[in-house]
Amino acid sequence: MNIHHLEVLVAIAREGTFSNAALVLETSQAAVSRAIASLEAELGVPLLKRGRFGAKPTQVGERVLRHAQDILELREQIDYEVNLEKGLYAGRLRIASFRSASTHLLPPILARFRDRFPRVEVSLSELEPAGVEQALREGQVDIGLVPLPRSEEFVVWEIARDEYVALLPRSSRSIAKVLTWHDLSDYDFILYNYAECTNAVREHWQRWGQKLEVAYVVKEDSTIVSMVAEGLGAAVLPRLAALPIPKSVQVRSLPEPLERVIGAATLAQTPRTPAVDVFIAMLCDEAGL
């Protein structure tokens, strides 16, 4: 008995005739007949009933067929594991991410991946989300971490949700644990000079009929946190972008919640390597998805 004999048996049961099975298997009808004859001779029982309308499994053939299907499925799993290991034995994995995700989400996953697959060469580039997208389009990277949603040219997996928080300077007056829009109206704000975050904050204020007083627009999130710490204004940032938060800055949730969804993206038209599939699976496992 060999795998080919079992493949022939399953093909005949599925296709109904020796000739159709031969077409599917891309072989001759005579070869299919020889394979079944050899299998039946080895087992010592008839597996198929031949008739005018094709071939059907005998009673014992039905039982053997179920086991044959299980064996073929196991063979596919073995082939998958072997091919996966071959693909992860060497090669490369190129990742691009915006800063706060690469700082706070990627390091533990990169460490686990390196421990499991030390021969895969891993590189990480920090870019703005638009730059991550462009790097994916140009084939410069295999995986990009970006805020969602993105365009249909990408396949995406949600891996984290990041709450926008209010960063407030410590002062002599008490700051409520639960902020109201009225509380926030007392502050001038330092905004992030990054379109997606800034637009999200402005639109959120507008959605709730609030006026946003802007004192500064700053490029670096770390600079914004330092300015808040010095009492130059308040800020609204995704929590990951604000970390680490000094003790001189108080953090509060917004009166109405706002969050960004972070995802892993690959270019839809580009086949994924085993390394890419494994890394995405690790990202999703970390997220509990």
Side-chain angles (χ1 to χ4, degrees):
M1 184 191 307
N2 60 44
I3 292 293
H4 175 66
H5 291 164
L6 300 181
E7 289 174 337
V8 171
L9 177 64
V10 170
I12 294 171
R14 183 178 62 245
E15 301 299 327
T17 67
F18 280 55
S19 58
N20 287 345
L23 287 173
V24 169
L25 296 171
E26 297 183 345
T27 187
S28 66
Q29 185 172 338
V32 168
S33 297
R34 286 195 299 270
I36 291 299
S38 176
L39 183 58
E40 289 179 328
E42 181 179 349
L43 298 178
V45 293
L47 300 175
L48 295 168
K49 295 179 289 188
R50 289 80 160 172
R52 289 179 56 194
F53 301 104
K56 294 183 178 181
T58 62
Q59 287 188 345
V60 67
E62 288 279 6
R63 299 198 296 274
V64 171
L65 180 64
R66 287 195 291 272
H67 294 303
Q69 290 168 332
D70 290 341
I71 290 170
L72 293 178
E73 288 178 5
L74 288 172
R75 172 60 185 271
E76 287 184 3
Q77 293 178 27
I78 290 170
D79 287 343
Y80 172 80
E81 295 295 341
V82 169
N83 289 332
L84 183 63
E85 182 63 24
K86 287 178 180 177
L88 291 167
Y89 186 78
R92 65 183 182 181
L93 176 63
R94 301 165 301 168
I95 306 165
S97 172
F98 60 99
R99 187 203 64 80
S100 55
S102 63
T103 301
H104 302 292
L105 298 180
L106 283 178
I109 300 168
L110 285 169
R112 288 200 296 275
F113 184 87
R114 185 190 60 187
D115 288 344
R116 287 181 58 187
F117 310 108
R119 291 182 174 85
V120 177
E121 178 187 347
V122 180
S123 64
L124 173 61
S125 304
E126 285 191 346
L127 304 167
E128 296 294 335
V132 173
E133 287 188 342
Q134 192 60 29
L136 284 167
R137 291 188 191 98
E138 295 176 358
Q140 297 174 3
V141 298
D142 307 301
I143 302 174
L145 265 60
V146 288
L148 299 182
R150 310 314 284 185
S151 70
E152 293 183 357
E153 63 189 312
F154 301 107
V155 181
V156 297
W157 295 260
E158 179 184 328
I159 61 170
R161 288 181 175 257
D162 191 14
E163 176 193 16
Y164 280 78
V165 292
L167 305 177
L168 308 174
R170 289 194 180 275
S171 64
S172 57
R173 64 190 179 93
S174 176
I175 298 176
K177 293 294 184 182
V178 179
L179 290 178
T180 66
W181 289 114
H182 178 72
D183 295 328
L184 290 176
S185 67
D186 291 339
Y187 292 94
D188 290 336
F189 280 85
I190 308 164
L191 287 191
Y192 195 9
N193 186 17
Y194 160 43
E196 291 194 44
C197 280
T198 301
N199 289 344
V201 171
R202 288 186 181 277
E203 289 170 6
H204 192 64
W205 252 246
Q206 188 175 37
R207 185 180 304 120
W208 293 98
Q210 303 301 314
K211 184 178 180 182
L212 186 67
E213 297 290 347
V214 179
Y216 305 94
V217 178
V218 178
K219 182 177 181 181
E220 297 295 335
D221 45 30
S222 58
T223 304
I224 294 174
V225 175
S226 295
M227 291 175 70
V228 173
E230 293 297 329
L232 294 172
V236 178
L237 285 175
R239 187 179 292 272
L240 290 180
L243 296 176
I245 300 171
K247 292 182 179 179
S248 55
V249 173
Q250 299 192 71
V251 182
R252 297 289 188 272
S253 294
L254 297 178
E256 296 295 338
L258 174 64
E259 64 181 8
R260 65 175 175 179
V261 180
I262 299 173
T266 63
L267 197 61
Q269 300 303 318
T270 301
R272 297 194 300 272
T273 66
V276 170
D277 282 335
V278 168
F279 196 81
I280 289 172
M282 294 175 73
L283 286 168
C284 292
D285 286 345
E286 182 73 12
L289 303 174

